[in-house]
Amino acid sequence: MLSRRAFLSMAGAAALVQPVWGRRQNPTIDPVRLRRRLESLSTYGRPGGGTFASGVSRVAYSVADVTARAWMLEEMKSAGVAPRIDAAGNIYARLGGDANRPPILFGSHIDSVPGGGNFDGSLGTLAALEVLHAVQAAGITPRHPLEMVLWAHEESTAFGRGTAGSRIVAGDLKAGDLDQVWNGMRRGDAIRRIGGDPDRIEEAIRPAGSWHSYLELHIEQGGTLDRAQVPIGIVEGIVAIHRFDVVVEGMANHAGTTPMGERQDALVAASTLVLAVREMAAARQGRQVGTVGRIDVEPNSPNVVPGRVSLSVEFRDLSEDTLRELGDALRARAAAIARDTGTTMTIDLATTNPAALADAGVQDAIGSAADRAGLAVRRLPSGAGHDAQMIAVLCPMGMIFVPSAGGVSHSPRELTSWDDCARGANVLLGAVLELDRRDSV
Ligand code: HGY
Ligand code: MN
Ligand code: MN
């Protein structure tokens, strides 16, 4: 007896039967191939002796990332398209269409956080490849070129900044960016390591209007769809992110001989700030969130009063005003803590992601693709940041979410069912074909 969801996924695949120009058969993604590729990709960065359930550590520019990208290039070629790498390390592959029309762009990323999951970014990237397979297999001649993209360096683990590849494409590139050093690696050299060319980095920048529209399929990474048992999310907007680098300077001293009243303990000061971040984000009405995700203690020895601590602080919300107010509150609290602990604190607003609204026309195209597949939808904001919010300044964008079991992500426990993966990929295919029918969204 077919479960309701299994029936829906089969009905979803079949319901893509829509008369479209020049079509010999009806396009649908191949769920078996999508699953096989997701399982193959998950081996790049899998912990030694681990299994699929162990998740991945495929941090941008790592060996796992570099080798996974090489595998992706071969998979793209096997799908009958010719990948090209831009100067920022983003990988594009284009299919058909009238070269005088702007391409429809769709894709995601494959780098992960340390100890991350198998679906964050990977699903959207491999679903994009499935779309190119399906369009060719169906013998469709699209009106617009269809272009998939694998964004380089989406996660903010490397160099403390995220959506880095798409950020350059959107023109957010400052003098000195490529001289930043992280983990002993200069950013320009890291870009070269993944096939980009820092000496021609400006060539990766694309003007507004370069694409007809942009679509990204992604796991929700929150629990809204899973709790509501709704298979497809239509993203209304993506939160803004303000990320700070904070350095606390105290005085390293002997843990045994320094009286408690004479310490300038950088870790005590930093810890007070960590609790203050949680308090100020939780105190306000609204959906804003505040997180300290990285902290480095120096000299990090049990018998030394910490002399220096560096940490990240980030706030997220749809409202930039809220983030500015939280940034001001952070600076005020830091000054008071520094005074009380005899330390100094420097707070640098290192990167910002702008809030981005999804285009109503693209949302509509996603909705009609889901309708045709007989799938219920829920409109919702994205609390996670995405490359789509960078590309939103260049063309109309939209995102499709599929449920994350228990709302867990950025963890080996991240899980989306194979049926939900297939449903999401079919809606991506349907939305691309719907947008292809439209001269403008
Ligand atoms: O950090 C984020 O929100 C995304 O998962 N990179
Ligand atoms: Mn992520
Ligand atoms: Mn992601």
Side-chain angles (χ1 to χ4, degrees):
M1 171 70 171
L2 271 182
S3 74
R4 181 175 174 293
R5 288 187 106 184
F7 172 74
L8 273 180
S9 59
M10 287 169 66
L16 278 166
V17 177
Q18 289 296 326
V20 177
W21 55 100
R23 172 182 289 175
R24 286 202 293 271
Q25 47 173 298
N26 298 307
T28 175
I29 64 105
D30 176 342
V32 175
R33 184 172 51 205
L34 176 61
R35 172 171 179 169
R36 175 174 51 74
R37 282 188 165 138
L38 276 164
E39 289 173 335
S40 300
L41 181 52
S42 78
T43 62
Y44 295 91
R46 179 175 293 175
T51 65
F52 185 77
S54 312
V56 289
S57 289
R58 195 165 56 231
V59 174
Y61 313 112
S62 63
V63 168
D65 185 36
V66 170
T67 47
R69 289 167 57 92
W71 173 82
M72 272 303 301
L73 291 172
E74 291 312 309
E75 292 298 304
M76 291 161 95
K77 289 173 197 163
S78 75
V81 289
R84 72 175 180 85
I85 305 177
D86 75 4
N90 301 304
I91 301 175
Y92 296 94
R94 193 176 284 196
L95 174 72
D98 173 351
N100 297 313
R101 293 177 187 273
I104 296 171
L105 185 72
F106 43 96
S108 193
H109 64 96
I110 65 166
D111 64 303
S112 83
V113 295
N118 296 310
F119 300 88
D120 176 358
S122 302
L123 173 59
T125 306
L126 291 173
L129 186 55
E130 272 302 314
V131 167
L132 298 185
H133 263 294
V135 166
Q136 293 175 86
I140 292 174
T141 45
R143 298 173 66 234
H144 299 81
L146 304 184
E147 187 161 49
M148 77 163 281
V149 61
L150 184 163
W151 297 113
H153 184 182
E154 190 275 346
E155 297 290 1
S156 27
T157 311
F159 299 96
R161 62 178 56 222
T163 58
S166 54
R167 187 185 291 273
I168 290 172
V169 171
D172 180 354
L173 181 66
K174 297 181 186 59
D177 272 357
L178 302 193
D179 295 323
Q180 214 192 334
V181 175
W182 169 77
N183 258 11
M185 202 170 14
R186 196 180 144 276
R187 182 128 176 259
D189 299 333
I191 286 174
R192 203 185 305 280
R193 183 176 158 83
I194 60 170
D197 183 349
D199 301 332
R200 297 187 297 113
I201 197 72
E202 310 268 341
E203 292 175 20
I205 298 173
R206 305 290 294 277
S210 295
W211 290 289
H212 168 280
S213 48
Y214 175 70
L215 273 168
E216 181 164 354
L217 168 64
H218 205 286
I219 55 171
E220 182 199 337
Q221 300 182 289
T224 305
L225 297 177
D226 186 42
R227 272 193 301 275
Q229 287 287 292
V230 169
I232 297 293
I234 300 178
V235 173
E236 296 167 303
I238 304 172
V239 293
I241 305 175
H242 284 191
R243 189 166 290 132
F244 300 84
D245 287 337
V246 179
V247 175
V248 185
E249 299 278 3
M251 192 175 94
N253 213 331
H254 196 292
T257 58
T258 310
M260 294 312 287
E262 293 174 25
R263 294 178 176 212
Q264 291 161 263
D265 187 328
L267 183 53
V268 165
S271 307
T272 311
L273 190 69
V274 169
L275 296 177
V277 165
R278 184 181 65 173
E279 186 198 302
M280 60 178 85
R284 299 171 67 109
Q285 289 298 319
R287 312 172 70 126
Q288 69 283 336
V289 290
T291 310
V292 173
R294 173 185 60 78
I295 188 163
D296 300 304
V297 180
E298 295 172 40
N300 208 26
S301 168
N303 60 348
V304 181
V305 175
R308 187 177 191 276
V309 171
S310 76
L311 61 153
S312 64
V313 176
E314 66 152 59
F315 294 113
R316 302 189 185 202
D317 194 70
L318 280 171
S319 153
E320 303 266 3
D321 288 343
T322 296
L323 297 190
R324 272 187 285 277
E325 288 164 19
L326 285 166
D328 294 343
L330 175 72
R331 293 182 194 283
R333 289 297 287 273
I337 294 167
R339 201 176 38 249
D340 295 347
T341 55
T343 60
T344 60
M345 286 197 191
T346 53
I347 298 192
D348 169 39
L349 178 56
T351 59
T352 61
N353 281 37
L357 291 178
D359 177 87
V362 180
Q363 290 188 56
D364 169 70
I366 298 168
S368 51
D371 286 349
R372 277 206 298 279
L375 297 173
V377 300
R378 164 78 62 100
R379 290 174 193 268
L380 74 170
S382 172
H386 296 286
D387 294 302
Q389 70 194 113
M390 291 294 155
I391 302 308
V393 301
L394 299 181
C395 66
M397 74 86 178
M399 287 194 77
I400 304 160
F401 274 175
V402 287
S404 292
V408 174
S409 180
H410 282 187
S411 154
R413 291 174 42 238
E414 180 181 284
L415 181 65
T416 293
S417 75
W418 297 117
D419 283 350
D420 280 336
C421 291
R423 279 193 274 269
N426 267 316
V427 170
L428 175 67
L429 171 61
V432 166
L433 295 177
E434 174 60 34
L435 288 169
D436 188 41
R437 294 179 180 90
R438 306 178 185 186
D439 288 338
S440 67
V441 297

